[in-house]
Amino acid sequence: MVTKLKSTRYHILLKLLAFLMIALALTSAFVLLLSIVMMEIPFETIIEPEYAESREFNIRGYSSNMYDQTEWNQMRAKALPRAQIFGASILLAIVLLIYLTNVVGQNEKGGTIHLSWHDKIPSDVLIVVYACVVPIWFLLMEVILFRRVYSTNNIDWELGASGVVTFLLISALGLYYVSSVKQIKAKTFIKKSLWFQVLYWIYDLIKSLFDGRAFSKNGLTKSLFKRQLVFIVASAFMVFLTFVFLMVPPLMLLPPIMECVIIYWFIKGNRKTYEAIDKGFNDSLEEQMKAERMKIQLITNVSHDLKTPLTSIIGYVDLLSKEPLEEPAREYVTVLTEKSDRLKYIVSDLFDLAKSTTGNIQVDFEEIDLKRLIQQTMGDLSDEIEKSGLEFKMQLPEDAVLIHSDGKKLYRVFMNLIGNALQYALMGTRVYVTLETSESIAKVSIKNIAGYEMTFTEEEVLQRFTRGDQARTSEGSGLGLSIAESFTHVCGGKFELVIDGDLFKANVSFPVK
C-alpha cells in the first residue's frame, strides 16, 4: 500500500514537472523570438553569414537599414545563439508534450483515467472560459510593448514582463489542453459537451415521436401509436399528391377521396382499440374491487367466528381466576387473562374496521361539543397518562366547539390517537393536544416525538396491521390509526397524518356548526 502511494505521488510529481517545463520552454522560445524582433535584427543574419549575400534583401525594400559586414557579424552573433536556444526549447516542449499527453489522467503507470471536478466541466464551456485569456494576453502585450506605461526603453524589463504574461497564458492554455486530453481518453469530450447534449436531446425528442418507446409495454397503446403514425404519413402523402394533381384536373379529386378512406380507417381502428383499453381497465378495476371485497368479507367472517370461542375462553379463564390456585398456576391464569383480553380487543377492532370500510356501520349523527369530548377522553385516560411519564399539554378554546357527528365513533378516534401517543412517544417528552377553529373548520391536532426512528411514510403507517415500531417492542395490533382514519371519514371529518423527522402529528378536522 505504501509502495503504491509512493508510486502515485512520483507520477503526479513527474506530470507537474513536465507541465511546468513545457510552459517555461515555450515562454523562453517566445521571449527569444521577441528579443530578436525588438533589437531589430534581420532574421537573414541567422542563415546568411555574409552581408554581401543579403544585399538583395535590402534592395527589395524589406529593410531601410544598410549594414556593413562588421554590423552584420555583430547582429548574427546575437541572433544565432537565440535561434539555437529557440529551437532547443521548441524541441524540448514537443518531447515533453508527447510524454504528458501519454500519461495525463493516470495516477500511476497503466492506471485508469481519473477526472477532477475541473475535467467534468463540459468541453465547450472550458473553450469559452479559456478563450477569454487570449484577448487579455493581447491587451497586456500591447500595454507592455507599445504603450510603454513606464515611459522607458528598457528592453530587459519589457522582455521580462512579456515572459511573465506569456507564461501565465501558456499555463492557462495548458490546463485546458490537459483537461481536454483527459476527457478524450475518458470518452467524455463530446458526450458531455453542452452542444452535444442539446443536439442529442432534440434528436431523442424527435425520435421518441416516431419510435413509440413510451408505448412498448402495452400492445394496445403501441398499435394505437403505429396507426397514428401511418395516418400522419399517409395524410402528408395525400397532401403532396393534391399539389401534384393540380396540373391534371381529372385526378384532382383522387387525393381527397383517398384521404376520406384513410380517416375512416383511422377512426374505426382507434375505436376498436379504445374499446379494448376500456374493457381492460374495467376488468382490472373489477378484479381489484372483488379482491378488496373478499378481503373485507374474510376479515368480517373471521372476526365473527372468533367471537364465540373467544368469549368461552375468556369466561373459563375468569372462572379459573376465582379458584384457589397455587402461585405458579395463578401467574399462568393472569397471563391468560391479559392475552385473551388483548385478543378480544384485536378481534373487536377487526370487526369494527371491516364494518366501517364496507359502510355497513350505524352512525348516529348529533350535535356534540368537540372540546368537551376531548376533555372526556383525556379524563378517561388519566391513569394511563400518569403512568406513562409523558407530559400532556392541552390547548383548548374557552368556548364550546359544536360539530355534527357521531360522538361514540369520534370518542373511539381520540382514544386511538392518544393511545398511539402513549404507546410510541419518547419517554420524558411532551405530547400536545390542540383544538383550533378557523374558517368554519375545527381542527384537532395531537403531536408527539417518536421514541424510535420512523422509516415509514404517512401512507404506509395507515395500512392495516402496519405498526410504526418495526421492532415490535410494544404491544399493538397495527389497526389503531387505520380505525381512526376510517371512523373519522364515516363521521364526516377529514383525517391527516404528518411525519417530519421524529415529529408525529395527527390532524382531525370537522366543519363547525
Side-chain angles (χ1 to χ4, degrees), residues 11-32:
H11 282 281
I12 293 175
L13 182 61
L14 280 181
K15 287 184 288 186
L16 179 61
L17 289 175
F19 181 85
L20 293 176
M21 288 296 293
I22 292 171
L24 289 173
L26 293 178
T27 302
S28 175
F30 174 77
V31 171
L32 290 171

Side-chain angles (χ1 to χ4, degrees), residues 369-375 394-402 433-437:
D369 183 357
L370 193 56
K371 172 186 173 183
R372 180 172 295 181
L373 182 60
I374 295 173
Q375 291 173 335
M394 296 180 59
Q395 299 176 4
L396 305 177
E398 296 180 358
D399 301 328
V401 180
L402 301 179
V433 181
T434 61
L435 172 58
E436 301 175 343
T437 57

